[in-house]
Amino acid sequence: VLKEQPETNRRARLQIQFGFLGALFGMSYSLFYLFIGHTVGAMIIIACSMMILTIPKFLIVFKRLQLTGNLFAAILVTGFTGLCIIEGGMAGHALAWLATIPLFVFLLIEGKAAVGWAIVSVVIAGAFGVAHLLGFKFPVLYPKQFAGLVDFGGYTGLIPFVGILGYIFEKTRQEAQDRLVHAMNRLTVSNAKLSKLIDEKNSFLDIAAHDLKNPLSVISGYADLLCMDPNPSSHSVKKKSNEILTSANRMIEILKNLLSIREL
């Protein structure tokens, strides 16, 4: 995908791998929520995971890296915000996941879009903070007897989630580095072959120039003497000597051009 630019290609591979592994992680987490009876939370995660799973296919087909990066950011922000709303706001663990959005978008997207999504995430997190300070209570939709288990799973699950993203980033970075080294090695070999061809060209031109220049100079000299002879034996001799001189001078000019090419 997008092979014409190495960095763009690296980000494309990062998004594709994150789409598959992120969706797998989300589906696994949704099973945990279903197990404890947190149906609404499970549905949010399943919906987000399914949408994330479709993005790699969309990227491969349409090759719109910036668009797919924004889709990733929108899905993650929407999903984590939704979990914050139904899991107690600032009192829940979902806000910690929302706080990681700036890291994700700067890895998945480049340019102003990443800055924009980072600002959106900060604003949403700040809004939950303000609501908490004002005493607003968000609902908690999972069974209260599992509150400790949800917090435990939420905070500990954040570690492998960030770890997955870090692993994918490092893997794609190393692949890009390996491709760069391979390309540099190929360039070195190509330069060596080119240098050898240039040397062979110069050698050929040297041989051609020196082997032809001397005989042509002799021909030109004798023709010049014939033209200067005040008593030519015949008009034909003088005419032909002029032709010899013209052709020889033309050949010498061609050789001069060959020698000038050697300088290149």
Side-chain angles (χ1 to χ4, degrees):
V1 178
L2 306 172
K3 293 182 179 180
E4 66 279 359
Q5 298 181 8
E7 177 58 21
T8 302
N9 188 30
R10 186 191 67 80
R11 285 184 183 272
R13 294 197 306 275
L14 177 63
Q15 288 192 16
I16 290 172
Q17 294 181 38
F18 177 77
F20 289 120
L21 293 180
L24 179 62
F25 184 88
M27 295 302 291
S28 300
Y29 209 84
S30 67
L31 292 177
F32 164 66
Y33 269 12
L34 288 173
F35 176 76
I36 66 172
H38 189 11
T39 306
V40 177
M43 291 301 101
I44 291 176
I45 296 176
I46 291 173
C48 291
S49 298
M50 294 302 296
M51 287 186 286
I52 286 175
L53 187 61
T54 63
I55 292 179
K57 181 64 176 178
F58 184 87
L59 176 60
I60 292 172
V61 173
F62 297 101
K63 301 180 181 180
R64 299 284 302 276
L65 183 62
Q66 194 73 5
L67 176 61
T68 52
N70 283 307
L71 287 175
F72 269 124
I75 294 169
L76 291 173
V77 168
T78 302
F80 293 154
T81 301
L83 290 175
C84 285
I85 292 173
I86 65 171
E87 293 182 353
M90 287 286 290
H93 68 273
L95 190 66
W97 291 70
L98 183 64
T100 62
I101 291 295
L103 170 63
F104 300 151
V105 295
F106 276 110
L107 293 179
L108 297 177
I109 316 173
E110 53 187 347
K112 295 180 180 179
V115 176
W117 282 110
I119 293 173
V120 169
S121 302
V122 171
V123 170
I124 294 174
F128 281 109
V130 171
H132 179 74
L133 292 174
L134 295 177
F136 184 84
K137 301 294 184 181
F138 287 93
V140 178
L141 299 186
Y142 53 80
K144 293 185 178 180
Q145 66 267 28
F146 295 115
L149 186 60
V150 169
D151 287 340
F152 173 79
Y155 287 118
T156 56
L158 183 59
I159 297 173
F161 184 73
V162 175
I164 288 174
L165 188 62
Y167 166 76
I168 297 172
F169 173 80
E170 177 59 23
K171 183 172 180 289
T172 57
R173 185 202 64 79
Q174 186 60 50
E175 289 174 350
Q177 180 66 25
D178 292 341
R179 283 183 170 86
L180 178 60
V181 171
H182 181 64
M184 292 298 294
N185 291 337
R186 290 175 58 188
L187 180 60
T188 300
V189 173
S190 298
N191 285 338
K193 291 181 179 179
L194 179 60
S195 179
K196 182 180 179 181
L197 289 175
I198 291 174
D199 290 341
E200 291 176 352
K201 178 210 67 169
N202 290 339
S203 178
F204 168 76
L205 291 176
D206 283 341
I207 294 172
H210 289 93
D211 285 354
L212 295 176
K213 186 175 182 181
N214 291 334
L216 286 173
S217 296
V218 173
I219 293 172
S220 177
Y222 278 113
D224 196 25
L225 289 174
L226 286 173
C227 291
M228 291 187 297
D229 189 349
N231 299 307
S233 60
S234 69
H235 175 73
S236 175
V237 172
K238 186 168 185 177
K239 181 180 179 181
K240 292 186 180 299
S241 66
N242 282 330
E243 292 177 357
I244 293 172
L245 179 60
T246 300
S247 298
N249 286 335
R250 185 163 177 266
M251 290 291 291
I252 291 174
E253 188 63 30
I254 292 173
L255 288 174
K256 288 180 180 178
N257 291 336
L258 285 173
L259 291 173
S260 66
I261 291 175
R262 186 191 184 285
E263 304 284 327
L264 300 178

